[in-house]
Amino acid sequence: MARLWKNFVNGLWNENPTFRIMIGLCPVLAVTTEAINGIGMGLATTFVLVCSSALVSLLRKVIPEKVRIPAYIVVIATFVTIVDLFMNAYLPDLHQVLGLFIPLIVVNCIVLGRAEAFASKNSVVSSILDGLGMGLGFTWALTVLAAVRELLGSGSIFGWKLAADGATTIGVMSLPPGAFITLGILMALMNMIAARQKRRAS
Amino acid sequence: MVVVLSVIAMVSAAVLSLVYGKTSVIIEENAARALESSVLEVLPGTATVNMIRRSPDELGVDDPQEMREKGQETTIIYQGVDEQGQIVGYAFVGEGNGYGGVVRVLVGVDEATDQVLNVKILNHAETPGLGSRIEEEGFRSQFAGKTVDDPITVNQDIQIISGATISSRAVADAVREGLQDTVRIYRGGE
């Protein structure tokens, strides 16, 4: 039980895909202009991660070593297409905002990375928990990053206008450089907290 | 090896075709409903929407061939009718080239005065936070009251959004060109 819990929280903090192992940064930089996009993208990725981890783990003894990468990609692409179609049908507004970035989940290296590094070697339950933890870790990272950028770049948060009309916003925060700057600062903060925890532990 | 991969691909294809069959109907319905509700938005007071289709031959355009080559086989104009059966106005979809691709706008025009009532951005791929501000009321409202005789050009009677010159121009182009064509078609050579 403790081990399963560890699988789950691993992705949330210790091996947070965005801030710690720093993979899948392309959507992180691209969609985090508004907090709601961060959540939507994060949850879509979480769904794909959980489903593909479960299936890859289930099929880990069937898939031959040599064709494992194409097999994983087919599995992942299938789930991504399902998300894309369902989102288009039932959440058309969000789908319009995220647009191209939904199909691009296929090439998000977190998904393939977890399939290869974890799901192909572990049981179905641990793989699902690992996918869920990684996905939610990705989601909170995206949401925090997007909230900071939205606040500084457009003066609003989750679409609610906070800054007074005509107040100067930092336009660069809405552009790609803003994503790098925010990501760097947040990463430094995470490292600071982790270092402090370590010092306290020793 | 080949067998496993083929089986995976086949199962995947089967699942996807099932999902697609289920969702494509809803997606199309959504698109149709979205466009209809957009027409209601740009033509306040509308109860029902009529679609007017015109092919280039019927229109008596100078060169139907040229229009066909541009892929404009038929022009669709949406006519808004209120509850009393009075025609409120007409709406059309205009396109302009933006910074990240085509910007599509829906423009509502008043029946009596031929003045633009409302402009709605249907879809665009402009930079979020910069070009995407063409969706804001402050920018769109500049087009209200314009007619074919106005220049509808950026830096003349349309103020650009700072940092989004190309996106602003795309909307102005879409409204201006669409308005010229649509009024000519709708009024039939007036």
Side-chain angles (χ1 to χ4, degrees), chain B residues 49-157:
Chain B
V49 179
N50 295 333
M51 274 214 279
I52 307 172
R53 288 172 200 269
R54 297 280 163 89
S55 70
D57 293 315
E58 279 178 69
L59 298 173
V61 179
D62 300 340
D63 188 5
Q65 187 63 37
E66 191 193 288
M67 272 187 90
R68 251 189 225 110
E69 277 164 8
K70 281 196 217 154
Q72 297 172 319
E73 287 248 357
T74 48
T75 311
I76 300 176
I77 300 173
Y78 303 90
Q79 190 178 50
V81 182
D82 70 7
E83 279 163 3
Q84 281 82 46
Q86 293 278 331
I87 298 169
V88 182
Y90 48 100
F92 63 89
V93 176
E95 288 183 352
N97 283 319
Y99 186 73
V102 173
V103 177
R104 287 175 74 233
V105 299
L106 185 73
V107 182
V109 190
D110 190 63
E111 173 74 19
T113 58
D114 282 338
Q115 284 181 346
V116 172
L117 288 171
N118 279 304
V119 171
K120 183 180 154 69
I121 313 294
L122 288 178
N123 48 43
H124 69 83
E126 304 304 288
T127 316
L130 281 177
S132 69
R133 292 181 57 205
I134 52 174
E135 290 177 342
E136 288 177 7
E137 176 67 31
F139 176 71
R140 288 185 294 115
S141 61
Q142 295 185 75
F143 293 96
K146 301 285 179 208
T147 65
V148 208
D149 303 321
D150 286 309
I152 318 187
T153 305
V154 288
N155 293 333
Q156 289 186 33
D157 55 345

Side-chain angles (χ1 to χ4, degrees), chain A residues 48 61 74 138:
Chain A
V48 174
K61 299 213 172 75
V74 171
F138 185 63

Side-chain angles (χ1 to χ4, degrees), chain A residues 105-160:
Chain A
I105 295 175
V106 177
V107 288
N108 187 326
C109 39
I110 302 171
V111 187
L112 185 63
R114 290 330 280 177
E116 167 79 4
F118 196 93
S120 61
K121 301 185 183 80
N122 289 281
S123 73
V124 177
V125 180
S126 334
S127 299
I128 290 177
L129 285 172
D130 177 72
L132 195 64
M134 284 287 163
L136 293 179
F138 185 63
T139 308
W140 82 253
L142 277 183
T143 310
V144 170
L145 191 61
V148 172
R149 287 183 65 195
E150 189 182 350
L151 187 65
L152 297 177
S154 339
S156 58
I157 203 147
F158 288 104
W160 281 316

